[in-house]
Amino acid sequence: MKVKAFLENTWKHRAHVIMALPVFLVMFFIFYVPMAGLVMAFKKFDYTLGIWRSPWNGLENFKVLIASKASFVSMTKNTIMYYIIFTALGTFLNVVLAIAIDQCVFKKCSKVMQTVMIVPVFISFAAVQFIVYAFLNSSTGILVSALGIKTRFYSTAGTWPAILTIVKMWNSVGYGSVLYMSVLAGIDTELYEAAQIDGANKWRQIWHITLPSLIPMVTVMLLLSVGNIMRSDTGLFYQVTRNSGALYSTTQVIDSYVLNAIFKNSNFGFTAATSFFQSVVGLLLMLLSNGLVRKIAPENSLF
């Protein structure tokens, strides 16, 4: 009966099904079909045999990942550290920038600002690395020539958490604020008018109306980002740092470590094991975070 009811409902809404079919197929072939490749995480991959005929090797690929405890702990710590910094600071700047533009008196100016702020996200990190190098080059860099800074940045690991944070914020904050601006555009203006009648100034309006309206969206974005806690932007950590070995202590994350491993020995079983490990940790953390939010504020949880 359930199958019959499902088929009848599908036929009843066949127009919507046909409209959704292209998106479904794209998601199926791009996101779900490649998941079959996770089987390589438990195999010793051999090109001549292919994925399915390659011999099983159990958890050997995972053992390779954690074989060097010092490197594994260091890159895991870096991955989590950068996730926390980028997420906390990025969310704060996204919200502040969205509110600042929303409160901008000169609306024409705000439209120009939005356009300018979105541009960095379209610039590849392959190009960004040359911009960063132009500033930090120890011989002809802008900071060296104009400000007289003598630090050799590409051999001084301690300076790179701040440098990578600045580059990441420059690249992503403008684009990230657009989402929050769409939420602000949907706030009923009568709320602000009522607050003005009650004598609330701009700061009180922002504190009591604007920020509470943004909390649901901030919560959802944080929950979604938790799933990627073990992943990093490879272009940022591999290209912008020019993959300098002297910086690994503060710049090497799991993704850049995997990329280096591929270039050295093309061990795709190891790569699959690492991706599997990242996905499982991200899934568990997202479920845990969503569970906590559901207990505290059910209306803001994902499910």
Side-chain angles (χ1 to χ4, degrees), residues 2-301:
K2 291 183 177 180
V3 175
K4 183 179 179 181
F6 171 76
L7 293 175
E8 289 177 351
N9 186 62
T10 302
W11 178 252
K12 179 181 178 181
H13 299 283
R14 56 188 179 277
H16 298 103
V17 173
I18 293 173
M19 290 175 63
L21 187 60
V23 177
F24 171 78
L25 291 175
V26 169
M27 292 185 64
F28 178 73
F29 286 109
I30 293 180
F31 294 108
Y32 289 95
V33 171
M35 289 180 67
L38 287 175
V39 71
M40 287 195 299
F42 306 96
K43 288 192 170 190
K44 184 178 180 180
F45 180 69
D46 188 334
Y47 280 103
T48 60
L49 298 176
I51 295 177
W52 305 112
R53 291 194 298 163
S54 294
W56 296 91
N57 66 348
L59 300 177
E60 286 301 316
N61 292 321
F62 294 93
K63 291 179 181 179
V64 172
L65 177 62
I66 61 176
S68 177
K69 292 184 178 180
S71 298
F72 179 74
V73 171
S74 175
M75 66 184 180
T76 302
K77 180 191 70 175
N78 288 340
T79 303
I80 297 175
M81 177 191 73
Y82 282 113
Y83 165 81
I84 293 173
I85 293 174
F86 292 169
T87 302
L89 185 59
T91 301
F92 173 76
L93 293 178
N94 285 339
V95 170
V96 169
L97 191 57
I99 293 175
I101 294 177
D102 183 68
Q103 297 294 326
C104 185
V105 177
F106 304 102
K107 296 301 180 183
K108 290 184 179 180
C109 176
S110 66
K111 292 184 181 297
V112 173
M113 289 174 62
Q114 291 178 45
T115 304
V116 172
M117 291 186 308
I118 292 175
V119 169
V121 79
F122 297 107
I123 302 177
S124 169
F125 280 115
V128 172
Q129 68 165 312
F130 295 107
I131 299 174
V132 175
Y133 187 74
F135 277 89
L136 305 182
N137 182 15
S138 60
S139 57
T140 60
I142 295 174
L143 291 181
V144 174
S145 303
L147 303 180
I149 297 176
K150 301 299 182 182
T151 304
R152 292 182 174 271
F153 290 100
Y154 285 92
S155 59
T156 308
T159 61
W160 279 89
I163 295 170
L164 291 175
T165 300
I166 292 172
V167 174
K168 179 65 176 180
M169 294 304 103
W170 168 80
N171 177 262
S172 64
V173 165
Y175 184 79
S177 65
V178 173
L179 185 63
Y180 297 102
M181 289 172 63
S182 65
V183 176
L184 295 178
I187 299 177
D188 191 347
T189 55
E190 292 183 358
L191 294 174
Y192 292 108
E193 293 171 0
Q196 287 179 336
I197 293 173
D198 291 337
N201 57 24
K202 281 291 184 182
W203 290 110
R204 288 192 174 275
Q205 291 175 36
I206 292 173
W207 183 258
H208 293 289
I209 299 175
T210 306
L211 290 179
S213 299
L214 289 174
I215 287 177
M217 180 58 73
V218 171
T219 305
V220 169
M221 295 305 296
L222 290 177
L223 287 175
L224 291 174
S225 70
V226 168
N228 293 317
I229 188 172
M230 299 302 291
R231 300 184 184 278
S232 308
D233 194 321
T234 308
L236 176 65
F237 292 96
Y238 185 84
Q239 293 179 317
V240 173
T241 63
R242 295 184 165 238
N243 196 33
S244 174
L247 309 178
Y248 280 174
S249 61
T250 60
T251 64
Q252 188 169 69
V253 293
I254 294 177
D255 285 333
S256 62
Y257 175 79
V258 171
L259 187 60
N260 278 317
I262 291 175
F263 287 151
K264 289 178 181 178
N265 53 29
S266 300
N267 188 346
F268 291 101
F270 166 74
T271 305
T274 306
S275 299
F276 189 76
F277 166 75
Q278 291 174 303
S279 299
V280 170
V281 172
L283 175 63
L284 294 176
L285 288 175
M286 188 181 71
L287 292 175
L288 176 62
S289 302
N290 187 73
L292 293 174
V293 172
R294 191 168 60 238
K295 287 186 176 181
I296 299 172
E299 68 279 2
N300 292 335
S301 64

